[in-house]
């Protein structure tokens, strides 16, 4: 199973980016998907998760109202649209697929995830 995250880059405060995570080797429609991030000197943290059908999602408070997670099961891809970016959003963003099938969860811890992508760097300048 491979997850390839893309779409990161350098953006000014207030700007937007859309991250993509293409999955191969596993059909994602049976699994929840999540985005995590790791800022320099900090631990990896959960950002957002989405259920199998895409009808349910969770976000951590700092990104609520600014980030939107979505998925296209036909393309085996998950997205994270990030608006109104702030310098504190600067981090390497990782996508991950849930370890369990059909869990119904959308809020994940690191141990809930079975496979990880390599990450894409998002830098927000002030």
């Amino acid at each position: 199973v491979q997850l390839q995250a893309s779409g990161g880059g350098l953006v000014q405060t207030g700007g937007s980016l859309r991250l993509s995570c293409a999955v191969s080797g596993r059909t994602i429609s049976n699994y929840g998907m999540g985005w995590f991030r790791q800022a320099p000197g900090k631990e990896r943290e959960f950002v957002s998760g989405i259920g199998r059908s895409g009808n349910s999602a969770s976000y951590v408070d700092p990104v609520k109202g600014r980030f939107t997670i979505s998925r296209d099961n036909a393309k085996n891809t998950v997205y994270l649209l990030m608006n109104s970016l702030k310098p504190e959003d600067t981090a390497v963003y990782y996508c991950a697929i849930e370890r369990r099938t059909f869990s119904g969860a959308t809020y994940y811890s690191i141990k809930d995830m079975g496979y990880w992508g390599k990450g894409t760097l998002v830098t927000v300048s002030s």
Side-chain angles (χ1 to χ4, degrees):
V1 180
Q2 292 187 329
L3 292 81
Q4 182 65 52
S6 61
L10 174 63
V11 64
Q12 292 183 336
T13 296
S16 298
L17 285 173
R18 190 178 82 152
L19 306 183
S20 299
C21 176
V23 181
S24 60
R26 177 163 292 180
T27 301
I28 69 170
S29 58
N30 293 337
Y31 297 86
M33 299 289 299
W35 285 96
F36 293 71
R37 66 186 179 186
Q38 187 166 16
K42 295 187 177 181
E43 295 184 351
R44 191 173 301 188
E45 63 175 0
F46 171 77
V47 174
S48 180
I50 187 167
R52 294 181 295 114
S53 66
N55 291 333
S56 58
S58 294
Y59 302 89
V60 290
D61 285 346
V63 309
K64 283 181 179 177
R66 300 189 297 122
F67 290 12
T68 303
I69 190 171
S70 61
R71 63 191 293 160
D72 186 337
N73 288 341
K75 294 183 178 179
N76 236 35
T77 301
V78 179
Y79 306 95
L80 185 68
L81 175 62
M82 306 185 295
N83 293 324
S84 302
L85 282 162
K86 304 175 180 180
E88 51 263 44
D89 295 318
T90 294
V92 177
Y93 283 72
Y94 299 89
C95 60
I97 187 168
E98 195 178 3
R99 187 183 304 276
R100 301 171 294 170
T101 57
F102 303 100
S103 76
T106 58
Y107 199 102
Y108 305 119
S109 65
I110 290 174
K111 64 179 178 61
D112 290 328
M113 314 312 283
Y115 294 92
W116 295 80
K118 290 185 177 180
T120 184
L121 176 62
V122 172
T123 303
V124 184
S125 63
S126 57

